[in-house]
Amino acid sequence: MGSSSGLVDWRGRPVDTRKHGGVRASIYIHMLVWLSNVSNIGNMTNIVSYLSVKMNMGVAAASTTSASFVAMMQVFTIPAAFLADSYLKRVYTVLFFAPIEILGYILLAIQAHVPSLHPAPCELAGAAAGAGAGATAATTEVAPGTCEAVHGSNLSLLMLGLYLICVGEGAVRACLPALGGDQFDEGDAAEQRQAASFFNWYAFAVSLGALVGLVAVVWVQDNKGWDAGFAVCGAVVLLGLLVWAAGMPTYRNKVPAGSPITRILQVLVVAFKKRNLQLPENPDELYQPTNDDSAKGLEILQRTRGLKCLDKAAIVRGGGSNGGAWSVCSVSQVEETKIVLRMVPIFLTAALGYMPVSVVLTFTVQQGNIMDTRMGAIRVSPATLFVIPTVFQLAILVVYDRAVVPALRRATGRVGGVTHLQRIGVGFVSSLASCAVAAAVEVKRWRLVASSSSSAMMSVFWLTPQFFLLGVVDVTSFVGLLEFFSSEASDGMKSIGSSIFYCMLGMAAWLNTMLIELVNRVTRRRGGGGWLEGANLNESRLDLFYWLVSGIELVAFMAYLLFAWRYVYRNDQRIAAAAADAVDEQEDKKAASNGSLVQINQI
C-alpha cells in the first residue's frame, strides 16, 4: 500500500500506509484508553463513597452530584470534538486537554489532604458497639443531625476539581475513537476487518482499565487515603499520555475540514429559505460537490431518499452557485445533515435505554456500604464488586472478537457479524433485566431491614447478578453504540460522532438525576419523606424506584425497536464473501505461522 488520500502525519506530510496507521498505531491509542480508565472508572464507581463519607453529603445529594459528574464528563466531549473536527487535529486536541484532567486530580488530592479544605468527619451511630470485635456494617450508619456537608469555598473547590477532570477526559473520549478509526482504510479488505476489531479492543482496554482501577485505585483510596488515591490517578493519566505521545510519528491524522455545525446550520437555513421551491425532476440538476470540497477533506456523499425537504438547499437558482454557502449547499453537505437527523431517534431511545445502567451503578455502592462485606476473613469494598462483571467483559470480548465474529461473518456476510443496532438491542435487554434483578434483590434487603432493623446480615454478593448483566450491556451496547455513531458520521465529523455516543451516556445519567428529584417531589407530597431522601438508605424505597425505572426501560426498548427497524445505514456493513474468506484465511495462516514459531522456540 502506498499513500492514503486526505490523511497526513504529525508534521502535515502525506502518510505512507506502510509506515503509518494500522494495528501498530492503534496499540498506542489503546494504551491511553487503558490507563485513563484506570483512573476514571475507579473514581466514578467510588465517588459516591467519597462524597458521602469524606464530604458528608446525603444519599440524594451524593447520588445527584455523582450522576452530574458522569454526565458532564460526557457533555464536555462536544466542544473538544468540535475543535478536533473543525480547527485542530485530534492529536493536538488530546495534547492540550489531557493535562487539564491531571490538574483536576491534583486539586482533589490537595483538598482531600488538607483538613481545612473538607468538612470534619461525621459522628457515627453505634460507635461504641463498633469498638467490639463483632462490629458489622450497621455500625457505620450515620447518626442524624451530626454531619455538616461540604459547603462554601470548599464546595467550589470540589466542583472545580471534578469539572477539570470532566474537561480533560471529555477531550480524550471524543478524540481517541475517531483517531483510532483514522488508522484503518475501510477500502482495504484486511484493514476493514481490523477497523471492526478496533472498537472491540477499545472496549477491552476500557474494561482492563476498569479492572485495574477497581482493584488498585479503590484499594488505595480506602486504605491509604483519598489524597493518595487522587494523586495516583493523576500519575497514571500522565503515564498514559506519555506513552500515547510516543506513538505520534505513527499516526494517520485527518485534516480538519471546517465546522460541521456551521455546515449543518447552512443546510437548515437554506432549506427553509427555499421551502416553497420545487425539486427538479433530474437529481443531477442539484448543486453537486466540487473538487475543492474533496481537497478540503470533505467526504463526497451520494444523494439518498428521505428528508426531501432538506434537498431543497441544493437547488441552484438563476444566480448559479455563486450566492455563497448561505444561499446554496452541495448534495454532500445536505447528506451530512441527513445523517445527523437520522441518528437523533436512536440517540434519544438509547439514552433512555441506558438509564438503568446509570441507576444501578449509582446506588449499588451505597447498598453495599450497609450490607455484610465479609469474604471469609477479609472485608471487601462494595466498589470492588465491579471487578466481577469486568473480568466477565474481558473474557467475553476476546471470545467474541476472535471466535464469534468470524463465525457470524461467514454466516451473515457482515463485517462485525451482526449489525450495530442488533448488537445494541441485545444490550438493552440485559439492561432491563439488570434493573429488574436489582429491584428484586432490594426487596429482599428491605424486608430484612423491616424485620431486624439492619441489612448487615445480608451478604454484599447478592448484588453480583445485576453486575453480570451490566457486563453484558458493556460487551454489546457499549461497543455497538460507539461503533454505530462513529461509523455513521461523515468523515468531517468523526470526533463529533464519538461525542454523540458519550453525550448519550451523559444524558442517561442526567435523566437519572432528574428522575430522582422528580420521584422525591412526588412521593414527598403524599406524606412523609421521599423514596430516596435522607442519609439512611434503610429508610428509602429504592426497590420501588428500581421497578419504576424498569417500566421506563421497557417502553424505551419498544420505541428503540421501531426506530432501529426503520433505520437505513449509510454504509453497507456487508462485505463480499470472497473478501471475507480471504481475510479469514490470511489470519488463519498468520496464526498457524505464529504457532509454528512458538513450537520452534520451545525446541
Side-chain angles (χ1 to χ4, degrees), residues 145-426:
T146 61
C147 292
E148 182 182 22
V150 62
H151 63 281
S153 59
N154 288 348
L155 178 60
S156 299
L157 180 61
L158 172 66
M159 293 296 105
L160 177 61
L162 293 177
Y163 284 133
L164 286 178
I165 294 174
C166 293
V167 171
E169 180 62 16
V172 172
R173 293 187 175 197
C175 295
L176 290 189
L179 180 63
D182 290 341
Q183 308 313 307
F184 305 98
D185 181 8
E186 294 191 358
D188 180 88
E191 292 199 8
Q192 186 185 35
R193 164 66 181 86
Q194 294 168 351
S197 291
F198 169 81
F199 290 100
N200 288 329
W201 291 107
Y202 183 97
F204 182 89
V206 172
S207 297
L208 184 60
L211 177 63
V212 177
L214 291 169
V215 173
V217 172
V218 171
W219 183 87
V220 171
Q221 291 174 341
D222 291 345
N223 294 276
K224 300 300 181 181
W226 290 96
D227 51 352
F230 289 130
V232 168
C233 289
V236 170
V237 175
L238 176 60
L239 175 61
L241 182 61
L242 293 176
V243 173
W244 173 84
M248 286 183 62
T250 68
Y251 297 149
R252 303 175 189 174
N253 300 289
K254 182 70 178 178
V255 178
S259 170
I261 297 178
T262 301
R263 295 195 297 271
I264 292 172
L265 289 176
Q266 288 170 346
V267 171
L268 297 177
V269 170
V270 176
F272 179 78
K273 289 180 179 178
K274 300 179 179 180
R275 62 189 183 278
N276 295 322
L277 299 181
Q278 296 293 325
L279 287 171
E281 295 182 0
N282 184 3
D284 293 336
E285 296 180 12
L286 297 174
Y287 181 47
Q288 302 297 322
T290 63
N291 293 332
D292 291 338
D293 293 331
S294 180
K296 293 177 182 178
L298 295 174
E299 183 180 5
I300 304 302
L301 302 172
Q302 300 299 318
R303 181 173 178 265
T304 60
R305 298 180 179 179
L307 297 175
K308 292 184 178 180
C309 58
L310 297 179
D311 289 335
K312 294 183 178 182
I315 296 177
V316 180
R317 292 196 280 192
S321 62
N322 298 322
W326 294 93
S327 297
V328 63
C329 303
S330 69
V331 170
S332 289
Q333 190 174 344
V334 171
E335 290 304 315
E336 188 177 45
T337 306
K338 288 182 180 181
I339 290 170
V340 174
L341 294 180
R342 284 169 177 157
M343 290 192 295
V344 169
I346 303 297
F347 170 85
L348 295 176
T349 53
L352 288 172
Y354 228 90
M355 191 169 65
V357 177
S358 177
V359 171
V360 174
L361 291 179
T362 298
F363 287 106
T364 295
V365 175
Q366 295 187 63
Q367 288 176 279
N369 285 332
I370 54 178
M371 297 174 72
D372 183 5
T373 59
R374 290 175 297 180
M375 185 175 65
I378 64 173
R379 291 186 179 274
V380 297
S381 169
T384 58
L385 289 178
F386 291 99
V387 170
I388 297 172
T390 302
V391 172
F392 173 70
Q393 292 167 27
L394 291 171
I396 200 65
L397 277 168
V398 174
V399 173
Y400 183 82
D401 185 77
R402 308 312 297 175
V404 177
V405 171
L408 289 175
R409 186 186 301 123
R410 294 186 182 98
T412 66
R414 300 184 186 278
V415 179
V418 295
T419 67
H420 306 322
L421 296 179
Q422 288 171 344
R423 189 172 183 177
I424 295 167
V426 173

Side-chain angles (χ1 to χ4, degrees), residues 86-100:
S86 304
Y87 307 109
L88 300 176
K89 293 187 180 72
R90 287 160 190 144
V91 290
Y92 296 139
T93 305
V94 174
L95 279 177
F96 178 78
F97 283 99
I100 298 177

Side-chain angles (χ1 to χ4, degrees), residues 60 63-64 363 511-520 532 545:
S63 299
T64 54
F363 287 106
L511 289 173
N512 176 26
T513 302
M514 294 172 59
L515 187 61
I516 291 173
E517 296 291 342
L518 179 61
V519 165
N520 276 337
L532 302 172
F545 184 73

Side-chain angles (χ1 to χ4, degrees), residues 404-585:
V404 177
V405 171
L408 289 175
R409 186 186 301 123
R410 294 186 182 98
T412 66
R414 300 184 186 278
V415 179
V418 295
T419 67
H420 306 322
L421 296 179
Q422 288 171 344
R423 189 172 183 177
I424 295 167
V426 173
F428 285 163
V429 173
S430 299
S431 176
L432 173 60
S434 71
C435 199
V437 169
V441 172
E442 178 61 14
V443 168
K444 178 178 176 62
R445 193 194 70 83
W446 192 83
R447 288 176 178 173
L448 185 60
V449 170
S451 61
S452 62
S453 301
S454 174
S455 61
M457 300 303 296
M458 184 176 179
S459 173
V460 73
F461 291 98
W462 275 90
L463 304 176
T464 54
Q466 61 209 58
F467 279 123
F468 273 113
L469 291 168
L470 290 181
V472 176
V473 175
D474 282 340
V475 171
T476 53
S477 286
F478 182 91
V479 181
L481 283 165
L482 180 59
E483 191 171 7
F484 171 77
F485 287 117
S486 297
S487 63
E488 288 296 292
S490 65
D491 287 348
M493 52 186 302
K494 289 293 185 183
S495 296
I496 291 181
S498 301
S499 72
I500 290 175
F501 162 71
Y502 282 110
C503 283
M504 182 276 300
L505 298 182
M507 185 175 178
W510 250 329
L511 289 173
N512 176 26
T513 302
M514 294 172 59
L515 187 61
I516 291 173
E517 296 291 342
L518 179 61
V519 165
N520 276 337
R521 285 188 181 185
V522 172
T523 54
R524 190 187 306 124
R525 290 175 182 175
R526 296 183 178 181
W531 283 357
L532 302 172
E533 284 189 325
N536 190 349
L537 198 62
N538 288 338
E539 299 176 358
S540 72
R541 293 307 307 268
L542 182 59
D543 56 329
L544 299 179
F545 184 73
Y546 276 147
W547 287 123
L548 174 63
V549 174
S550 298
I552 296 174
E553 166 72 358
L554 180 60
V555 175
F557 178 65
M558 295 301 176
Y560 169 80
L561 289 178
L562 174 63
F563 291 120
W565 175 65
R566 300 182 62 182
Y567 188 85
V568 178
Y569 292 93
R570 85 174 187 94
N571 289 321
D572 187 4
Q573 296 186 43
R574 294 184 180 274
I575 55 176
D581 293 339
V583 172
D584 291 335
E585 182 180 354

